[in-house]
Amino acid sequence: MVHSSSSAKHPWRARLYRQLEPGAWPDQGLSPANRWICALITVAVLVALLETEPAIRVGREPWFVAFEWVVGAIFLLEYLIRAWVAVEGARYAHPVWGRLRYLGSFAAVVDLLAILPLFLGLVGMEALFMRLIRVLRILRLARLGRFSKALRELGHAVRLRQFELYVSFGLAFLVLLTSSIMLYLLEGGVQPEAFGSVLRSMWWSVATLTTVGYGDVYPVTGLGRFFAALTALSGIGIIAMPTGIMAAAFSEAMQKNRREKDD
């Protein structure tokens, strides 16, 4: 919601507010400004991922540094503009306290995290993690419109099936616990490093139930292999249960959106 009296005094600020604030954009989807920002975020994240490859990074460090400075400057300018136009919203209407309140909001904190790697001089994994946080900005900017509506419908459909999900997760934990205890009893004396406790056995059971596999460690006794086979077979059903529930919820949400669109 735009503050009308403030908009009359500052028409350019009101226009920028409509461009930058997803809730103020009158049309569906993202505004042109936010589309460009999302595109820049996508490119910046891809460049950050490419920078982790030594074959690409070595010898091109100045190019990556220059790109990060340019992107950081653009994001800093955007951050300051968003703080300036925030008073156009009724929630942040006060010229001082409103802006301070906006700067403390989750949205503004995410925006700030997007530019901190450059100005704090972070390197290595810390800088990479902070740069990847920029992906959250895309989710924030796209929280309205058809995309967010579909997510809300999906969340509602999942909540309607929360009992079935609880049952499937409870059954998965029961199978996991049973497998871990049995492998501890059967294999603990033979392979104490891998199955010497229920917690150690549980790590193997988790890897097996999720069908990831843990090839370096496996049971060697007959009964141990038998229960390991049961665990592996149970993993197929354990994974399929919540997957089927989520697929049904997603299908229902999509069908509801289509019906509303047709109406």
Side-chain angles (χ1 to χ4, degrees), residues 64-89:
F64 285 105
V65 172
F67 176 82
E68 187 60 27
W69 271 102
V70 172
V71 171
I74 295 175
F75 286 157
L76 175 61
L77 178 62
E78 179 212 352
Y79 177 78
L80 297 176
I81 293 176
R82 286 184 184 275
W84 178 57
V85 304
V87 294
E88 292 292 328

mmCIF file with all atom_site columns, all heavy atoms in Angstrom, residues 64-89:
data_model
loop_
_atom_site.group_PDB
_atom_site.id
_atom_site.type_symbol
_atom_site.label_atom_id
_atom_site.label_alt_id
_atom_site.label_comp_id
_atom_site.label_asym_id
_atom_site.label_entity_id
_atom_site.label_seq_id
_atom_site.pdbx_PDB_ins_code
_atom_site.Cartn_x
_atom_site.Cartn_y
_atom_site.Cartn_z
_atom_site.occupancy
_atom_site.B_iso_or_equiv
_atom_site.pdbx_formal_charge
_atom_site.auth_seq_id
_atom_site.auth_comp_id
_atom_site.auth_asym_id
_atom_site.auth_atom_id
_atom_site.pdbx_PDB_model_num
ATOM 1   N N   . PHE A 1 64 ? 37.172 -11.620 -11.942 1.00 0.00 ? 64 PHE A N   1
ATOM 2   C CA  . PHE A 1 64 ? 36.179 -11.967 -10.925 1.00 0.00 ? 64 PHE A CA  1
ATOM 3   C C   . PHE A 1 64 ? 36.061 -10.865 -9.876  1.00 0.00 ? 64 PHE A C   1
ATOM 4   O O   . PHE A 1 64 ? 34.960 -10.543 -9.419  1.00 0.00 ? 64 PHE A O   1
ATOM 5   C CB  . PHE A 1 64 ? 36.542 -13.300 -10.256 1.00 0.00 ? 64 PHE A CB  1
ATOM 6   C CG  . PHE A 1 64 ? 36.265 -14.503 -11.105 1.00 0.00 ? 64 PHE A CG  1
ATOM 7   C CD1 . PHE A 1 64 ? 37.303 -15.186 -11.716 1.00 0.00 ? 64 PHE A CD1 1
ATOM 8   C CD2 . PHE A 1 64 ? 34.968 -14.947 -11.301 1.00 0.00 ? 64 PHE A CD2 1
ATOM 9   C CE1 . PHE A 1 64 ? 37.053 -16.296 -12.503 1.00 0.00 ? 64 PHE A CE1 1
ATOM 10  C CE2 . PHE A 1 64 ? 34.710 -16.066 -12.091 1.00 0.00 ? 64 PHE A CE2 1
ATOM 11  C CZ  . PHE A 1 64 ? 35.751 -16.737 -12.691 1.00 0.00 ? 64 PHE A CZ  1
ATOM 12  N N   . VAL A 1 65 ? 37.203 -10.297 -9.489  1.00 0.00 ? 65 VAL A N   1
ATOM 13  C CA  . VAL A 1 65 ? 37.168 -9.213  -8.500  1.00 0.00 ? 65 VAL A CA  1
ATOM 14  C C   . VAL A 1 65 ? 36.439 -8.002  -9.059  1.00 0.00 ? 65 VAL A C   1
ATOM 15  O O   . VAL A 1 65 ? 35.601 -7.392  -8.384  1.00 0.00 ? 65 VAL A O   1
ATOM 16  C CB  . VAL A 1 65 ? 38.602 -8.843  -8.075  1.00 0.00 ? 65 VAL A CB  1
ATOM 17  C CG1 . VAL A 1 65 ? 38.582 -7.590  -7.195  1.00 0.00 ? 65 VAL A CG1 1
ATOM 18  C CG2 . VAL A 1 65 ? 39.260 -10.005 -7.337  1.00 0.00 ? 65 VAL A CG2 1
ATOM 19  N N   . ALA A 1 66 ? 36.724 -7.652  -10.316 1.00 0.00 ? 66 ALA A N   1
ATOM 20  C CA  . ALA A 1 66 ? 36.061 -6.504  -10.934 1.00 0.00 ? 66 ALA A CA  1
ATOM 21  C C   . ALA A 1 66 ? 34.557 -6.734  -11.053 1.00 0.00 ? 66 ALA A C   1
ATOM 22  O O   . ALA A 1 66 ? 33.750 -5.833  -10.780 1.00 0.00 ? 66 ALA A O   1
ATOM 23  C CB  . ALA A 1 66 ? 36.667 -6.231  -12.315 1.00 0.00 ? 66 ALA A CB  1
ATOM 24  N N   . PHE A 1 67 ? 34.185 -7.939  -11.441 1.00 0.00 ? 67 PHE A N   1
ATOM 25  C CA  . PHE A 1 67 ? 32.753 -8.251  -11.552 1.00 0.00 ? 67 PHE A CA  1
ATOM 26  C C   . PHE A 1 67 ? 32.073 -8.124  -10.196 1.00 0.00 ? 67 PHE A C   1
ATOM 27  O O   . PHE A 1 67 ? 30.974 -7.567  -10.087 1.00 0.00 ? 67 PHE A O   1
ATOM 28  C CB  . PHE A 1 67 ? 32.573 -9.667  -12.107 1.00 0.00 ? 67 PHE A CB  1
ATOM 29  C CG  . PHE A 1 67 ? 31.139 -10.119 -12.167 1.00 0.00 ? 67 PHE A CG  1
ATOM 30  C CD1 . PHE A 1 67 ? 30.327 -9.753  -13.230 1.00 0.00 ? 67 PHE A CD1 1
ATOM 31  C CD2 . PHE A 1 67 ? 30.608 -10.903 -11.153 1.00 0.00 ? 67 PHE A CD2 1
ATOM 32  C CE1 . PHE A 1 67 ? 29.002 -10.160 -13.277 1.00 0.00 ? 67 PHE A CE1 1
ATOM 33  C CE2 . PHE A 1 67 ? 29.287 -11.312 -11.195 1.00 0.00 ? 67 PHE A CE2 1
ATOM 34  C CZ  . PHE A 1 67 ? 28.484 -10.940 -12.265 1.00 0.00 ? 67 PHE A CZ  1
ATOM 35  N N   . GLU A 1 68 ? 32.713 -8.619  -9.150  1.00 0.00 ? 68 GLU A N   1
ATOM 36  C CA  . GLU A 1 68 ? 32.120 -8.556  -7.819  1.00 0.00 ? 68 GLU A CA  1
ATOM 37  C C   . GLU A 1 68 ? 31.991 -7.114  -7.336  1.00 0.00 ? 68 GLU A C   1
ATOM 38  O O   . GLU A 1 68 ? 31.011 -6.754  -6.676  1.00 0.00 ? 68 GLU A O   1
ATOM 39  C CB  . GLU A 1 68 ? 32.965 -9.372  -6.829  1.00 0.00 ? 68 GLU A CB  1
ATOM 40  C CG  . GLU A 1 68 ? 32.345 -9.508  -5.453  1.00 0.00 ? 68 GLU A CG  1
ATOM 41  C CD  . GLU A 1 68 ? 31.001 -10.203 -5.485  1.00 0.00 ? 68 GLU A CD  1
ATOM 42  O OE1 . GLU A 1 68 ? 30.764 -11.016 -6.406  1.00 0.00 ? 68 GLU A OE1 1
ATOM 43  O OE2 . GLU A 1 68 ? 30.174 -9.928  -4.583  1.00 0.00 ? 68 GLU A OE2 1
ATOM 44  N N   . TRP A 1 69 ? 32.948 -6.266  -7.675  1.00 0.00 ? 69 TRP A N   1
ATOM 45  C CA  . TRP A 1 69 ? 32.854 -4.858  -7.308  1.00 0.00 ? 69 TRP A CA  1
ATOM 46  C C   . TRP A 1 69 ? 31.688 -4.180  -8.026  1.00 0.00 ? 69 TRP A C   1
ATOM 47  O O   . TRP A 1 69 ? 30.949 -3.401  -7.430  1.00 0.00 ? 69 TRP A O   1
ATOM 48  C CB  . TRP A 1 69 ? 34.163 -4.142  -7.637  1.00 0.00 ? 69 TRP A CB  1
ATOM 49  C CG  . TRP A 1 69 ? 35.159 -4.186  -6.518  1.00 0.00 ? 69 TRP A CG  1
ATOM 50  C CD1 . TRP A 1 69 ? 36.253 -5.001  -6.413  1.00 0.00 ? 69 TRP A CD1 1
ATOM 51  C CD2 . TRP A 1 69 ? 35.129 -3.395  -5.321  1.00 0.00 ? 69 TRP A CD2 1
ATOM 52  N NE1 . TRP A 1 69 ? 36.913 -4.760  -5.240  1.00 0.00 ? 69 TRP A NE1 1
ATOM 53  C CE2 . TRP A 1 69 ? 36.251 -3.775  -4.542  1.00 0.00 ? 69 TRP A CE2 1
ATOM 54  C CE3 . TRP A 1 69 ? 34.283 -2.412  -4.836  1.00 0.00 ? 69 TRP A CE3 1
ATOM 55  C CZ2 . TRP A 1 69 ? 36.528 -3.216  -3.306  1.00 0.00 ? 69 TRP A CZ2 1
ATOM 56  C CZ3 . TRP A 1 69 ? 34.567 -1.830  -3.596  1.00 0.00 ? 69 TRP A CZ3 1
ATOM 57  C CH2 . TRP A 1 69 ? 35.682 -2.235  -2.853  1.00 0.00 ? 69 TRP A CH2 1
ATOM 58  N N   . VAL A 1 70 ? 31.521 -4.491  -9.299  1.00 0.00 ? 70 VAL A N   1
ATOM 59  C CA  . VAL A 1 70 ? 30.420 -3.888  -10.055 1.00 0.00 ? 70 VAL A CA  1
ATOM 60  C C   . VAL A 1 70 ? 29.074 -4.351  -9.497  1.00 0.00 ? 70 VAL A C   1
ATOM 61  O O   . VAL A 1 70 ? 28.169 -3.536  -9.259  1.00 0.00 ? 70 VAL A O   1
ATOM 62  C CB  . VAL A 1 70 ? 30.536 -4.243  -11.551 1.00 0.00 ? 70 VAL A CB  1
ATOM 63  C CG1 . VAL A 1 70 ? 29.285 -3.793  -12.310 1.00 0.00 ? 70 VAL A CG1 1
ATOM 64  C CG2 . VAL A 1 70 ? 31.775 -3.593  -12.154 1.00 0.00 ? 70 VAL A CG2 1
ATOM 65  N N   . VAL A 1 71 ? 28.955 -5.657  -9.275  1.00 0.00 ? 71 VAL A N   1
ATOM 66  C CA  . VAL A 1 71 ? 27.704 -6.191  -8.741  1.00 0.00 ? 71 VAL A CA  1
ATOM 67  C C   . VAL A 1 71 ? 27.438 -5.633  -7.345  1.00 0.00 ? 71 VAL A C   1
ATOM 68  O O   . VAL A 1 71 ? 26.317 -5.251  -7.014  1.00 0.00 ? 71 VAL A O   1
ATOM 69  C CB  . VAL A 1 71 ? 27.754 -7.728  -8.722  1.00 0.00 ? 71 VAL A CB  1
ATOM 70  C CG1 . VAL A 1 71 ? 26.555 -8.296  -7.962  1.00 0.00 ? 71 VAL A CG1 1
ATOM 71  C CG2 . VAL A 1 71 ? 27.772 -8.270  -10.138 1.00 0.00 ? 71 VAL A CG2 1
ATOM 72  N N   . GLY A 1 72 ? 28.493 -5.590  -6.523  1.00 0.00 ? 72 GLY A N   1
ATOM 73  C CA  . GLY A 1 72 ? 28.326 -5.044  -5.175  1.00 0.00 ? 72 GLY A CA  1
ATOM 74  C C   . GLY A 1 72 ? 27.891 -3.594  -5.184  1.00 0.00 ? 72 GLY A C   1
ATOM 75  O O   . GLY A 1 72 ? 27.052 -3.182  -4.377  1.00 0.00 ? 72 GLY A O   1
ATOM 76  N N   . ALA A 1 73 ? 28.447 -2.793  -6.099  1.00 0.00 ? 73 ALA A N   1
ATOM 77  C CA  . ALA A 1 73 ? 28.059 -1.379  -6.191  1.00 0.00 ? 73 ALA A CA  1
ATOM 78  C C   . ALA A 1 73 ? 26.600 -1.241  -6.618  1.00 0.00 ? 73 ALA A C   1
ATOM 79  O O   . ALA A 1 73 ? 25.856 -0.395  -6.091  1.00 0.00 ? 73 ALA A O   1
ATOM 80  C CB  . ALA A 1 73 ? 28.972 -0.660  -7.183  1.00 0.00 ? 73 ALA A CB  1
ATOM 81  N N   . ILE A 1 74 ? 26.173 -2.080  -7.564  1.00 0.00 ? 74 ILE A N   1
ATOM 82  C CA  . ILE A 1 74 ? 24.764 -2.027  -8.007  1.00 0.00 ? 74 ILE A CA  1
ATOM 83  C C   . ILE A 1 74 ? 23.833 -2.415  -6.874  1.00 0.00 ? 74 ILE A C   1
ATOM 84  O O   . ILE A 1 74 ? 22.810 -1.751  -6.631  1.00 0.00 ? 74 ILE A O   1
ATOM 85  C CB  . ILE A 1 74 ? 24.561 -2.948  -9.230  1.00 0.00 ? 74 ILE A CB  1
ATOM 86  C CG1 . ILE A 1 74 ? 25.354 -2.422  -10.423 1.00 0.00 ? 74 ILE A CG1 1
ATOM 87  C CG2 . ILE A 1 74 ? 23.077 -3.061  -9.576  1.00 0.00 ? 74 ILE A CG2 1
ATOM 88  C CD1 . ILE A 1 74 ? 25.310 -3.348  -11.635 1.00 0.00 ? 74 ILE A CD1 1
ATOM 89  N N   . PHE A 1 75 ? 24.173 -3.476  -6.152  1.00 0.00 ? 75 PHE A N   1
ATOM 90  C CA  . PHE A 1 75 ? 23.333 -3.908  -5.042  1.00 0.00 ? 75 PHE A CA  1
ATOM 91  C C   . PHE A 1 75 ? 23.323 -2.882  -3.907  1.00 0.00 ? 75 PHE A C   1
ATOM 92  O O   . PHE A 1 75 ? 22.307 -2.703  -3.222  1.00 0.00 ? 75 PHE A O   1
ATOM 93  C CB  . PHE A 1 75 ? 23.791 -5.266  -4.515  1.00 0.00 ? 75 PHE A CB  1
ATOM 94  C CG  . PHE A 1 75 ? 23.434 -6.417  -5.411  1.00 0.00 ? 75 PHE A CG  1
ATOM 95  C CD1 . PHE A 1 75 ? 24.149 -7.600  -5.363  1.00 0.00 ? 75 PHE A CD1 1
ATOM 96  C CD2 . PHE A 1 75 ? 22.385 -6.318  -6.311  1.00 0.00 ? 75 PHE A CD2 1
ATOM 97  C CE1 . PHE A 1 75 ? 23.819 -8.661  -6.186  1.00 0.00 ? 75 PHE A CE1 1
ATOM 98  C CE2 . PHE A 1 75 ? 22.046 -7.368  -7.147  1.00 0.00 ? 75 PHE A CE2 1
ATOM 99  C CZ  . PHE A 1 75 ? 22.764 -8.542  -7.078  1.00 0.00 ? 75 PHE A CZ  1
ATOM 100 N N   . LEU A 1 76 ? 24.455 -2.230  -3.691  1.00 0.00 ? 76 LEU A N   1
ATOM 101 C CA  . LEU A 1 76 ? 24.503 -1.184  -2.662  1.00 0.00 ? 76 LEU A CA  1
ATOM 102 C C   . LEU A 1 76 ? 23.597 -0.027  -3.047  1.00 0.00 ? 76 LEU A C   1
ATOM 103 O O   . LEU A 1 76 ? 22.842 0.491   -2.202  1.00 0.00 ? 76 LEU A O   1
ATOM 104 C CB  . LEU A 1 76 ? 25.936 -0.700  -2.473  1.00 0.00 ? 76 LEU A CB  1
ATOM 105 C CG  . LEU A 1 76 ? 26.121 0.477   -1.506  1.00 0.00 ? 76 LEU A CG  1
ATOM 106 C CD1 . LEU A 1 76 ? 25.640 0.096   -0.113  1.00 0.00 ? 76 LEU A CD1 1
ATOM 107 C CD2 . LEU A 1 76 ? 27.566 0.928   -1.472  1.00 0.00 ? 76 LEU A CD2 1
ATOM 108 N N   . LEU A 1 77 ? 23.661 0.396   -4.304  1.00 0.00 ? 77 LEU A N   1
ATOM 109 C CA  . LEU A 1 77 ? 22.786 1.465   -4.770  1.00 0.00 ? 77 LEU A CA  1
ATOM 110 C C   . LEU A 1 77 ? 21.324 1.063   -4.639  1.00 0.00 ? 77 LEU A C   1
ATOM 111 O O   . LEU A 1 77 ? 20.479 1.859   -4.183  1.00 0.00 ? 77 LEU A O   1
ATOM 112 C CB  . LEU A 1 77 ? 23.112 1.800   -6.220  1.00 0.00 ? 77 LEU A CB  1
ATOM 113 C CG  . LEU A 1 77 ? 22.246 2.885   -6.880  1.00 0.00 ? 77 LEU A CG  1
ATOM 114 C CD1 . LEU A 1 77 ? 22.405 4.217   -6.142  1.00 0.00 ? 77 LEU A CD1 1
ATOM 115 C CD2 . LEU A 1 77 ? 22.608 3.034   -8.357  1.00 0.00 ? 77 LEU A CD2 1
ATOM 116 N N   . GLU A 1 78 ? 21.014 -0.153  -5.009  1.00 0.00 ? 78 GLU A N   1
ATOM 117 C CA  . GLU A 1 78 ? 19.637 -0.635  -4.887  1.00 0.00 ? 78 GLU A CA  1
ATOM 118 C C   . GLU A 1 78 ? 19.192 -0.647  -3.425  1.00 0.00 ? 78 GLU A C   1
ATOM 119 O O   . GLU A 1 78 ? 18.068 -0.267  -3.101  1.00 0.00 ? 78 GLU A O   1
ATOM 120 C CB  . GLU A 1 78 ? 19.535 -2.038  -5.472  1.00 0.00 ? 78 GLU A CB  1
ATOM 121 C CG  . GLU A 1 78 ? 18.145 -2.657  -5.369  1.00 0.00 ? 78 GLU A CG  1
ATOM 122 C CD  . GLU A 1 78 ? 18.198 -4.158  -5.198  1.00 0.00 ? 78 GLU A CD  1
ATOM 123 O OE1 . GLU A 1 78 ? 19.296 -4.730  -5.304  1.00 0.00 ? 78 GLU A OE1 1
ATOM 124 O OE2 . GLU A 1 78 ? 17.141 -4.748  -4.940  1.00 0.00 ? 78 GLU A OE2 1
ATOM 125 N N   . TYR A 1 79 ? 20.090 -1.084  -2.535  1.00 0.00 ? 79 TYR A N   1
ATOM 126 C CA  . TYR A 1 79 ? 19.787 -1.131  -1.106  1.00 0.00 ? 79 TYR A CA  1
ATOM 127 C C   . TYR A 1 79 ? 19.456 0.259   -0.569  1.00 0.00 ? 79 TYR A C   1
ATOM 128 O O   . TYR A 1 79 ? 18.484 0.449   0.177   1.00 0.00 ? 79 TYR A O   1
ATOM 129 C CB  . TYR A 1 79 ? 20.974 -1.731  -0.363  1.00 0.00 ? 79 TYR A CB  1
ATOM 130 C CG  . TYR A 1 79 ? 20.833 -1.781  1.140   1.00 0.00 ? 79 TYR A CG  1
ATOM 131 C CD1 . TYR A 1 79 ? 20.061 -2.754  1.743   1.00 0.00 ? 79 TYR A CD1 1
ATOM 132 C CD2 . TYR A 1 79 ? 21.494 -0.853  1.941   1.00 0.00 ? 79 TYR A CD2 1
ATOM 133 C CE1 . TYR A 1 79 ? 19.944 -2.811  3.128   1.00 0.00 ? 79 TYR A CE1 1
ATOM 134 C CE2 . TYR A 1 79 ? 21.385 -0.898  3.316   1.00 0.00 ? 79 TYR A CE2 1
ATOM 135 C CZ  . TYR A 1 79 ? 20.600 -1.881  3.904   1.00 0.00 ? 79 TYR A CZ  1
ATOM 136 O OH  . TYR A 1 79 ? 20.482 -1.921  5.273   1.00 0.00 ? 79 TYR A OH  1
ATOM 137 N N   . LEU A 1 80 ? 20.251 1.250   -0.958  1.00 0.00 ? 80 LEU A N   1
ATOM 138 C CA  . LEU A 1 80 ? 20.007 2.619   -0.499  1.00 0.00 ? 80 LEU A CA  1
ATOM 139 C C   . LEU A 1 80 ? 18.712 3.177   -1.072  1.00 0.00 ? 80 LEU A C   1
ATOM 140 O O   . LEU A 1 80 ? 17.966 3.891   -0.372  1.00 0.00 ? 80 LEU A O   1
ATOM 141 C CB  . LEU A 1 80 ? 21.193 3.507   -0.892  1.00 0.00 ? 80 LEU A CB  1
ATOM 142 C CG  . LEU A 1 80 ? 22.539 3.142   -0.247  1.00 0.00 ? 80 LEU A CG  1
ATOM 143 C CD1 . LEU A 1 80 ? 23.648 4.036   -0.805  1.00 0.00 ? 80 LEU A CD1 1
ATOM 144 C CD2 . LEU A 1 80 ? 22.450 3.275   1.269   1.00 0.00 ? 80 LEU A CD2 1
ATOM 145 N N   . ILE A 1 81 ? 18.423 2.853   -2.337  1.00 0.00 ? 81 ILE A N   1
ATOM 146 C CA  . ILE A 1 81 ? 17.174 3.331   -2.947  1.00 0.00 ? 81 ILE A CA  1
ATOM 147 C C   . ILE A 1 81 ? 15.972 2.698   -2.253  1.00 0.00 ? 81 ILE A C   1
ATOM 148 O O   . ILE A 1 81 ? 14.964 3.362   -1.990  1.00 0.00 ? 81 ILE A O   1
ATOM 149 C CB  . ILE A 1 81 ? 17.165 3.032   -4.456  1.00 0.00 ? 81 ILE A CB  1
ATOM 150 C CG1 . ILE A 1 81 ? 18.241 3.866   -5.154  1.00 0.00 ? 81 ILE A CG1 1
ATOM 151 C CG2 . ILE A 1 81 ? 15.795 3.332   -5.051  1.00 0.00 ? 81 ILE A CG2 1
ATOM 152 C CD1 . ILE A 1 81 ? 18.365 3.565   -6.640  1.00 0.00 ? 81 ILE A CD1 1
ATOM 153 N N   . ARG A 1 82 ? 16.064 1.419   -1.946  1.00 0.00 ? 82 ARG A N   1
ATOM 154 C CA  . ARG A 1 82 ? 14.955 0.757   -1.252  1.00 0.00 ? 82 ARG A CA  1
ATOM 155 C C   . ARG A 1 82 ? 14.716 1.384   0.118   1.00 0.00 ? 82 ARG A C   1
ATOM 156 O O   . ARG A 1 82 ? 13.575 1.542   0.547   1.00 0.00 ? 82 ARG A O   1
ATOM 157 C CB  . ARG A 1 82 ? 15.244 -0.745  -1.102  1.00 0.00 ? 82 ARG A CB  1
ATOM 158 C CG  . ARG A 1 82 ? 15.095 -1.536  -2.394  1.00 0.00 ? 82 ARG A CG  1
ATOM 159 C CD  . ARG A 1 82 ? 15.296 -3.031  -2.144  1.00 0.00 ? 82 ARG A CD  1
ATOM 160 N NE  . ARG A 1 82 ? 15.239 -3.789  -3.374  1.00 0.00 ? 82 ARG A NE  1
ATOM 161 C CZ  . ARG A 1 82 ? 14.119 -4.226  -3.946  1.00 0.00 ? 82 ARG A CZ  1
ATOM 162 N NH1 . ARG A 1 82 ? 12.954 -3.978  -3.366  1.00 0.00 ? 82 ARG A NH1 1
ATOM 163 N NH2 . ARG A 1 82 ? 14.160 -4.908  -5.077  1.00 0.00 ? 82 ARG A NH2 1
ATOM 164 N N   . ALA A 1 83 ? 15.800 1.721   0.818   1.00 0.00 ? 83 ALA A N   1
ATOM 165 C CA  . ALA A 1 83 ? 15.643 2.380   2.114   1.00 0.00 ? 83 ALA A CA  1
ATOM 166 C C   . ALA A 1 83 ? 15.018 3.764   1.951   1.00 0.00 ? 83 ALA A C   1
ATOM 167 O O   . ALA A 1 83 ? 14.221 4.202   2.791   1.00 0.00 ? 83 ALA A O   1
ATOM 168 C CB  . ALA A 1 83 ? 17.001 2.485   2.808   1.00 0.00 ? 83 ALA A CB  1
ATOM 169 N N   . TRP A 1 84 ? 15.349 4.442   0.858   1.00 0.00 ? 84 TRP A N   1
ATOM 170 C CA  . TRP A 1 84 ? 14.798 5.783   0.616   1.00 0.00 ? 84 TRP A CA  1
ATOM 171 C C   . TRP A 1 84 ? 13.309 5.725   0.288   1.00 0.00 ? 84 TRP A C   1
ATOM 172 O O   . TRP A 1 84 ? 12.516 6.545   0.760   1.00 0.00 ? 84 TRP A O   1
ATOM 173 C CB  . TRP A 1 84 ? 15.573 6.449   -0.521  1.00 0.00 ? 84 TRP A CB  1
ATOM 174 C CG  . TRP A 1 84 ? 15.063 7.807   -0.884  1.00 0.00 ? 84 TRP A CG  1
ATOM 175 C CD1 . TRP A 1 84 ? 14.940 8.890   -0.058  1.00 0.00 ? 84 TRP A CD1 1
ATOM 176 C CD2 . TRP A 1 84 ? 14.590 8.237   -2.170  1.00 0.00 ? 84 TRP A CD2 1
ATOM 177 N NE1 . TRP A 1 84 ? 14.434 9.972   -0.746  1.00 0.00 ? 84 TRP A NE1 1
ATOM 178 C CE2 . TRP A 1 84 ? 14.208 9.593   -2.049  1.00 0.00 ? 84 TRP A CE2 1
ATOM 179 C CE3 . TRP A 1 84 ? 14.481 7.608   -3.414  1.00 0.00 ? 84 TRP A CE3 1
ATOM 180 C CZ2 . TRP A 1 84 ? 13.705 10.324  -3.111  1.00 0.00 ? 84 TRP A CZ2 1
ATOM 181 C CZ3 . TRP A 1 84 ? 13.992 8.343   -4.479  1.00 0.00 ? 84 TRP A CZ3 1
ATOM 182 C CH2 . TRP A 1 84 ? 13.605 9.679   -4.327  1.00 0.00 ? 84 TRP A CH2 1
ATOM 183 N N   . VAL A 1 85 ? 12.907 4.770   -0.527  1.00 0.00 ? 85 VAL A N   1
ATOM 184 C CA  . VAL A 1 85 ? 11.512 4.713   -0.963  1.00 0.00 ? 85 VAL A CA  1
ATOM 185 C C   . VAL A 1 85 ? 10.636 3.946   0.014   1.00 0.00 ? 85 VAL A C   1
ATOM 186 O O   . VAL A 1 85 ? 9.407  3.899   -0.171  1.00 0.00 ? 85 VAL A O   1
ATOM 187 C CB  . VAL A 1 85 ? 11.401 4.069   -2.354  1.00 0.00 ? 85 VAL A CB  1
ATOM 188 C CG1 . VAL A 1 85 ? 12.260 4.819   -3.360  1.00 0.00 ? 85 VAL A CG1 1
ATOM 189 C CG2 . VAL A 1 85 ? 11.774 2.587   -2.324  1.00 0.00 ? 85 VAL A CG2 1
ATOM 190 N N   . ALA A 1 86 ? 11.205 3.358   1.063   1.00 0.00 ? 86 ALA A N   1
ATOM 191 C CA  . ALA A 1 86 ? 10.414 2.544   1.988   1.00 0.00 ? 86 ALA A CA  1
ATOM 192 C C   . ALA A 1 86 ? 9.299  3.333   2.639   1.00 0.00 ? 86 ALA A C   1
ATOM 193 O O   . ALA A 1 86 ? 8.245  2.776   2.975   1.00 0.00 ? 86 ALA A O   1
ATOM 194 C CB  . ALA A 1 86 ? 11.324 1.937   3.058   1.00 0.00 ? 86 ALA A CB  1
ATOM 195 N N   . VAL A 1 87 ? 9.488  4.656   2.815   1.00 0.00 ? 87 VAL A N   1
ATOM 196 C CA  . VAL A 1 87 ? 8.478  5.473   3.486   1.00 0.00 ? 87 VAL A CA  1
ATOM 197 C C   . VAL A 1 87 ? 7.204  5.601   2.666   1.00 0.00 ? 87 VAL A C   1
ATOM 198 O O   . VAL A 1 87 ? 6.186  6.102   3.169   1.00 0.00 ? 87 VAL A O   1
ATOM 199 C CB  . VAL A 1 87 ? 9.038  6.873   3.788   1.00 0.00 ? 87 VAL A CB  1
ATOM 200 C CG1 . VAL A 1 87 ? 10.171 6.784   4.798   1.00 0.00 ? 87 VAL A CG1 1
ATOM 201 C CG2 . VAL A 1 87 ? 9.512  7.554   2.514   1.00 0.00 ? 87 VAL A CG2 1
ATOM 202 N N   . GLU A 1 88 ? 7.215  5.165   1.402   1.00 0.00 ? 88 GLU A N   1
ATOM 203 C CA  . GLU A 1 88 ? 6.003  5.194   0.603   1.00 0.00 ? 88 GLU A CA  1
ATOM 204 C C   . GLU A 1 88 ? 4.995  4.148   1.073   1.00 0.00 ? 88 GLU A C   1
ATOM 205 O O   . GLU A 1 88 ? 3.812  4.244   0.775   1.00 0.00 ? 88 GLU A O   1
ATOM 206 C CB  . GLU A 1 88 ? 6.330  4.959   -0.874  1.00 0.00 ? 88 GLU A CB  1
ATOM 207 C CG  . GLU A 1 88 ? 7.113  6.080   -1.524  1.00 0.00 ? 88 GLU A CG  1
ATOM 208 C CD  . GLU A 1 88 ? 6.293  7.349   -1.647  1.00 0.00 ? 88 GLU A CD  1
ATOM 209 O OE1 . GLU A 1 88 ? 5.061  7.247   -1.818  1.00 0.00 ? 88 GLU A OE1 1
ATOM 210 O OE2 . GLU A 1 88 ? 6.885  8.448   -1.562  1.00 0.00 ? 88 GLU A OE2 1
ATOM 211 N N   . GLY A 1 89 ? 5.471  3.134   1.785   1.00 0.00 ? 89 GLY A N   1
ATOM 212 C CA  . GLY A 1 89 ? 4.573  2.135   2.348   1.00 0.00 ? 89 GLY A CA  1
ATOM 213 C C   . GLY A 1 89 ? 4.015  2.610   3.674   1.00 0.00 ? 89 GLY A C   1
ATOM 214 O O   . GLY A 1 89 ? 4.696  3.282   4.461   1.00 0.00 ? 89 GLY A O   1
#
